[in-house]
Amino acid sequence: MKAVNVSLVVILVASVLAACGTTNSKGARSGKPNTQPPAITLQIVSPAKQNSYWRDAVQYPYAVHEAKAKDALDREWKLAYIDEYAGPGDREDAPVVVLLHCRCGNLGYFNTLIQQLVQDYRVVAFDLPNYGKSIPGNLDLPVTRSLDTSRDLVYQVLKNELNISHASLVGHSLGGQWALGFALKYPMFVDALILESSYGLEEYQVKPFRFDNRQIDLFNAGYPPEISLPEETWRLNPLYVKEYSLTQGELRDRLLFTDEQRDDLLPRWNRRAKSAAGEPPSVTSLFRMSESDARFFVASRAQAAEGNQREFDQLVRACVWDLYASAAELRADDEQSLPARLGQVRARTFLAFGKHDSYLPNDFMTGESLTVDKLAGAAMTRIRVGGAEVTAKIYDAAAHTPHLDVPVQFGTDVLNFLKRETVVDAFR
């Protein structure tokens, strides 16, 4: 077990939680959420006294609900979610927006966006299986589930628990790929699709992409959802070893910094394309700005190593596994891959990217040298084949997370798109 020097965990101020009102079992609530992003305070908590880091130490400024759903193998999962509405009339009559977070993420970093939407929309945000507050209740279930399994679980909760028959989806990064696959699987459910710095738009070349040095090939489109990996397999996976061994300082440097810092920790996916285009490489990380929700994301992830070790291990494994689960849906030789089916998208679609994204395009996996604008243009062309309306925008001041780097501008654009108003500076 690695040593940790700092024992701070993220706690959102109790008074903010009290302002959220009360809830009933189906997510109805009294009162209205606070209209400003929550203050964040750091408090020393003894890990030895914590039963659950994610349930007890990390707090969102909203009431968190938990619903049960079963997968195709009859395994019962527990999904944590929030359900917020502060507009006029009954929540059951309000249009719905569902938020899907990135790989290794949690719904907490959507706080500012939630506040921007909640006066006009009923906002439902999930901690997806094996992440955030959906970790504690699923410790005995495998992280080696497909993205489609998690889509089915969320669909069950939306339909059966919340009685929602249709909604717009906002997905960030892997959450964008997740939302894209959901829209293809449940086309009648999705009103509009907002893909922020989304994976799922590029085809990956088939490579000998192995899970460990015994050459277990998991980079395929048909691995069974019940696949079980022995402990030694995880310990031999270099991605798992690297992710597990990162210190809190290294993790913060990798996620939250700007130019000139810790270039050795940055992804290098798009450097070849940038060089070919005569542009300097993107040397920003996940976030370009040190905004409050970004600090929450980094702190909650960094401090997880000090909490419940089973929870931390599951988080790390999920972060690694979902690289493979994502790639399995993007194979260039698969006629049913997500990129191959972009022309089947029926929902109105908004593609949002940051100009300084270090993660996209992923030329390491595609074998191509694309810039962000060319990636957006290619995706738009494929989506239009099926007749869907599509708009795209690249944010000059953003990296991989526009909703945190340019929150006011991004939130305004999301609202305008949902209301069928003009998205300023978008290209069509």
Side-chain angles (χ1 to χ4, degrees), residues 178-192:
W178 192 102
L180 173 61
F182 188 97
L184 289 168
K185 189 166 190 175
Y186 303 107
M188 300 304 294
F189 189 93
V190 180
D191 297 326

Side-chain angles (χ1 to χ4, degrees), residues 28-309:
R29 54 187 298 283
S30 62
K32 293 184 178 182
N34 46 293
T35 57
Q36 299 296 325
I40 296 179
T41 183
L42 296 175
Q43 177 178 327
I44 297 177
V45 176
S46 171
K49 296 179 180 179
Q50 288 179 203
N51 292 322
S52 168
Y53 168 77
W54 289 101
R55 182 182 294 127
D56 303 333
V58 178
Q59 301 293 327
Y60 304 145
Y62 313 98
V64 178
H65 313 280
E66 188 175 83
K68 298 177 181 179
K70 288 188 176 183
D71 63 18
L73 299 176
D74 204 39
R75 298 176 300 199
E76 185 174 82
W77 295 74
K78 296 178 181 178
L79 272 65
Y81 68 94
I82 65 161
D83 181 4
E84 295 292 314
Y85 178 58
D90 296 333
R91 71 170 52 234
E92 289 77 12
D93 298 325
V96 180
V97 175
V98 179
L99 306 181
L100 293 317
H101 63 74
C102 63
R103 183 178 65 90
C104 307
N106 60 75
L107 67 86
Y109 77 154
F110 281 129
N111 177 65
T112 299
L113 182 59
I114 292 169
Q115 299 297 339
Q116 292 169 298
L117 296 174
V118 78
Q119 298 293 332
D120 299 286
Y121 294 90
R122 178 183 177 183
V123 180
V124 178
F126 286 88
D127 274 345
L128 294 172
N130 308 120
Y131 293 115
K133 291 180 179 292
S134 291
I135 291 177
N138 300 303
L139 288 175
D140 294 327
L141 293 171
V143 300
T144 52
R145 41 86 194 115
S146 67
L147 296 185
D148 247 4
T149 292
S150 63
R151 291 180 184 117
D152 292 340
L153 296 171
V154 169
Y155 179 74
Q156 290 177 52
V157 174
L158 291 171
K159 289 281 287 184
N160 302 332
E161 184 77 10
L162 300 180
N163 298 315
I164 294 172
S165 60
H166 60 97
S168 297
L169 306 185
V170 179
H172 169 239
S173 192
L174 182 63
Q177 178 176 332
W178 192 102
L180 173 61
F182 188 97
L184 289 168
K185 189 166 190 175
Y186 303 107
M188 300 304 294
F189 189 93
V190 180
D191 297 326
L193 192 59
I194 298 172
L195 306 180
E196 176 195 5
S197 304
S198 179
Y199 288 92
L201 306 175
E202 303 176 278
E203 292 174 328
Y204 288 178
Q205 298 300 314
V206 178
K207 297 183 177 183
F209 201 50
R210 309 296 181 179
F211 198 83
D212 69 5
N213 63 5
R214 292 184 302 158
Q215 306 298 295
I216 299 176
D217 187 1
L218 297 177
F219 187 59
N220 65 76
Y223 61 79
E226 70 275 10
I227 191 169
S228 177
L229 299 176
E231 186 65 25
E232 61 268 22
T233 297
W234 284 102
R235 300 300 176 184
L236 290 171
N237 182 279
L239 296 173
Y240 172 85
V241 173
K242 180 178 180 180
E243 190 77 21
Y244 198 87
S245 63
L246 285 173
T247 67
Q248 292 186 36
E250 288 173 335
L251 187 64
R252 287 191 177 93
D253 283 345
R254 189 176 74 174
L255 294 177
L256 184 62
F257 64 92
T258 54
D259 301 350
E260 309 301 329
Q261 297 178 338
R262 295 309 304 271
D263 181 66
D264 59 306
L265 292 174
L266 288 170
R268 287 163 168 75
W269 305 150
N270 68 5
R271 297 194 174 198
R272 183 172 61 190
K274 290 274 187 177
S275 176
E279 301 178 13
S282 296
V283 289
T284 56
S285 190
L286 192 64
F287 313 115
R288 188 172 173 83
M289 304 296 178
S290 182
E291 192 268 352
S292 61
D293 290 355
R295 294 196 301 272
F296 171 85
F297 179 96
V298 175
S300 63
R301 169 67 181 84
Q303 305 300 340
E306 292 192 52
N308 183 298
Q309 287 300 297

